[in-house]
Each structure stands twice: as structure tokens, then as C-alpha cells.
Amino acid sequence: AAAYHSYYRFSQQCLRLLPETIWEQDYPFAIKCHAEAIEAASYNDFIEETERLFQTIIERSTDILDKANAYRIRIRTYFAAERMVEAIDLGREILTEMGISFPKKPDRLQIFKAIASIRIALWNKSPEFLLNKPEIKNKLQHTALMIMQDLAAVAYHTNPGLIPLLAAKAIKISLKYGNSIESAIVGY
């Protein structure tokens, strides 16, 4: 706990030392400092500060991957605060922005289709085929898998019907782009 508090203090000091024009002068450094600060605030359960930093990153960020990282931290913060519905809404929001959509509350037909699509996608695929897939290189798709992993943990507690849809999409991404740890956790 003491290390987290120090992490937070150092990240806040970093933000205080930044010039107001940092986003225009050195975007990579600005996003890195703000990403560290939001993570430190989240680890310390400083929800208001996490929210403030999230808004700053979303308003200033020019890259979807930078936004997605902020969303992941906010989703995990909401999960820890037991704000499950809001966490799922956040995940759906950023995944939609990334080109992946899920219904808010899947019905039985959508769940059945997801399970059927998994069976079809894996038809005649041996375990060796899946194990020998290369590691995922597409950063956007890998980030989507990480968000889906975060959502699966939340969905388990509040919206279990979403899990087969997350798994189906994760498997399709993995078959197309390659494997990752998240593939195994969410999909396989």
C-alpha cells in the first residue's frame, strides 16, 4: 500500500511539472504521464482523481489505443467499486469505437448464435492448430482482447449472458490475428 501511495505522489508531481502546452509539444510524453497518473490514482482508490484524469485523457488523446488504456483502467476501477453496469457500459462504448459491438443484455437467441459461432469457428481445428497460432501482432485487436478480458470478469457477476458473446469474438480475433494470454482467458 505504501508503494502505491508513493507511486501516486510521484505521478502527481510529474503532472504538476508539465507545462500547459505539453499535449501539443510532446504528445507521447503527455499521454505517458497521464496514463501513469490515472493508474496510480486507480490503485489508491482515488475515484474522483481517476475520473478527472480519464476525462483529460479522453479529451486530449488522438490515438484509440491511448483512449482504450484509460478505459481499461476506468473499467477496473468501476469493477473494484462494484459499479458493474457502468463498467460494462464503458467496455461496450470503447469496443464500439474500436469496431466491435455487443448488445447491452443479450437474449437467448444471441447467446445461442454466439455459442454456435464458436463451434463453427473451431470446427476441425485441433488443439495443436490453436497452440501453434502465432502471437497476436495487431495492437488494436490485442487491446480489444484485453478489454474483453476485463469485461468478462465484470459480466460474470452482473451479465453472464455476455460471456459467450465475448468468447465468440475473442476466438474469432485469435483465429484471424493470432493468440495471446487474453485469448485463452476469454475465448478458449
Side-chain angles (χ1 to χ4, degrees):
Y4 287 154
H5 187 68
S6 293
Y7 179 34
Y8 175 75
R9 281 194 351 258
F10 288 132
S11 69
Q12 290 301 303
Q13 183 63 25
C14 175
L15 293 180
R16 280 191 289 279
L17 293 172
L18 295 176
E20 288 188 28
T21 58
I22 189 65
W23 289 96
E24 295 78 23
Q25 291 176 338
D26 191 352
Y27 175 83
F29 187 68
I31 197 68
K32 178 72 174 160
C33 290
H34 283 78
E36 292 294 334
I38 192 175
E39 190 166 33
S42 174
Y43 286 164
N44 284 280
D45 294 326
F46 297 153
I47 293 175
E48 287 178 17
E49 181 64 6
T50 302
E51 294 290 331
R52 187 188 69 73
L53 289 163
F54 175 80
Q55 289 306 321
T56 299
I57 291 170
I58 296 309
E59 289 167 10
R60 299 295 202 115
S61 125
T62 59
D63 184 280
I64 188 71
L65 295 175
D66 294 333
K67 275 185 174 181
N69 183 47
Y71 269 88
R72 286 193 69 219
I73 292 167
R74 195 173 189 203
I75 290 166
R76 291 192 308 259
T77 301
Y78 281 7
F79 178 62
E82 297 183 9
R83 294 167 66 178
M84 306 298 186
V85 173
E86 291 165 284
I88 294 228
D89 289 344
L90 278 173
R92 288 180 63 245
E93 183 178 309
I94 188 62
L95 286 172
T96 299
E97 202 169 320
M98 298 169 85
I100 300 168
S101 62
F102 293 101
K104 189 169 185 137
K105 272 287 205 190
D107 59 33
R108 287 181 183 257
L109 180 59
Q110 291 166 319
I111 294 168
F112 176 78
K113 285 180 179 179
I115 293 169
S117 75
I118 292 170
R119 295 189 103 147
I120 291 167
L122 294 175
W123 185 261
N124 285 335
K125 307 276 190 305
S126 69
E128 292 77 25
F129 171 82
L130 298 173
L131 285 172
N132 292 325
K133 294 284 295 170
E135 191 170 326
I136 193 167
K137 300 282 189 245
N138 184 304
K139 289 181 181 180
L140 184 70
Q141 298 302 322
H142 187 227
T143 301
L145 284 172
M146 290 189 288
I147 292 167
M148 286 187 262
Q149 176 187 349
D150 295 337
L151 283 183
V154 177
Y156 177 82
H157 295 282
T158 190
N159 191 351
L162 195 55
I163 294 172
L165 279 71
L166 292 166
K169 189 62 183 173
I171 288 170
K172 289 176 184 174
I173 288 172
S174 298
L175 289 173
K176 184 172 182 178
Y177 296 100
N179 282 328
S180 71
I181 293 294
E182 296 78 19
S183 307
I185 294 170
V186 180
Y188 302 134

